Amino acid sequence: MSTPEPADRVLSRASLAEGNPTAWFDELYTAAARGEAEVPWTRGKPQADLVTWAAEHPGEGRRALVVGSALGDDSELLAAAGWAVTGFDVAPTAVEAARARFPESAVDYVVADLLKPPGEWHQAFDLVVEIMNIQAMPRDFRPAALTSLAGFLAPGGTALVSEVAEESTDVETWVSPPWPFSRAEIESIAQDGVRLVSLGTVRDGARHWATFTR
């Protein structure tokens, strides 16, 4: 008997066939809420590299935006470190779940689409965090997503970006999602006044870790 294909791959393939790169996220969270699927990127705790960064960078009331906030772990970490956090996800089910997990939270959890973000978010955040979300989009959709990401960053702010590193994977046998990121794709976030500060890897070279500023 063959092993069933993971739900994220099945749903993402169907969503992309319909020309919609993000619809499958809410479908996956909804299926998970019914106990019919697993959301592979939910950890139940903040991302470890972000934990290290946040310990050294208190927010002091400055504004932070978490891209693809999922069930809220990274957003809550930053809020606890003193950032005024907005966490957004394209999946309404994920936003509802985050609010339910943290009913007393100071985080503003909202539904929004990275490909069509609210206009008032333009250059509005002192910290922008994108960890392993855009990698769930095929390359055809990434330029628009990366332009949105760069556009969120306020003058003098910091953007943190981490994705699976293409250079550490065998792309010939890789099964997606996610679709790994090349170094050049990460560097392309430096646009419209945004500049690259540092770009390295973590997890023994498995993931890019980059910082940007404007």
Side-chain angles (χ1 to χ4, degrees):
M1 181 180 295
S2 61
T3 302
E5 191 172 15
D8 59 320
R9 294 177 187 166
V10 174
L11 293 172
S12 65
R13 188 163 55 243
S15 180
L16 290 169
E18 296 173 355
N20 189 330
T22 59
W24 64 278
F25 289 105
D26 196 55
E27 294 170 358
L28 181 61
Y29 279 108
T30 300
R34 295 195 299 260
E36 299 171 358
E38 292 185 1
V39 180
W41 54 82
T42 55
R43 304 175 298 271
K45 58 184 178 181
Q47 202 268 357
D49 303 299
L50 184 62
V51 170
T52 300
W53 186 91
E56 300 172 354
H57 299 84
E60 300 175 340
R62 290 172 293 172
R63 297 187 70 191
L65 182 69
V66 176
V67 178
S69 51
L71 302 185
D73 295 294
D74 291 346
S75 299
E76 296 298 323
L77 167 73
L78 294 174
W83 294 89
V85 182
T86 297
F88 82 92
D89 205 288
V90 72
T93 305
V95 172
E96 292 169 4
R99 291 171 177 166
R101 282 186 75 202
F102 304 104
E104 304 300 322
S105 177
V107 176
D108 183 20
Y109 289 108
V110 298
V111 177
D113 188 340
L114 181 60
L115 298 176
K116 300 176 183 178
E120 61 268 25
W121 287 1
H122 184 65
Q123 297 190 20
F125 295 94
D126 304 296
L127 174 64
V128 177
V129 177
E130 154 52 22
I131 297 179
M132 301 177 67
N133 290 284
I134 298 177
Q135 65 178 25
M137 296 181 185
R139 282 193 169 88
D140 288 350
F141 297 94
R142 288 183 184 170
L146 296 175
T147 294
S148 290
L149 187 71
F152 297 142
L153 190 60
T158 298
L160 304 175
V161 181
S162 184
E163 313 285 352
V164 172
E166 181 181 87
E167 293 81 359
S168 71
T169 64
D170 181 355
V171 294
E172 296 298 323
T173 60
W174 186 268
V175 179
S176 299
W179 289 266
F181 257 74
S182 70
R183 182 183 179 92
E185 285 182 290
I186 296 286
E187 291 174 341
S188 74
I189 297 168
Q191 56 179 280
D192 190 29
V194 173
R195 62 181 177 84
L196 178 66
V197 175
S198 64
L199 172 54
T201 58
V202 294
R203 312 298 177 88
D204 295 323
R207 298 179 190 173
H208 294 295
W209 182 268
T211 63
F212 297 83
T213 192
R214 183 189 295 282

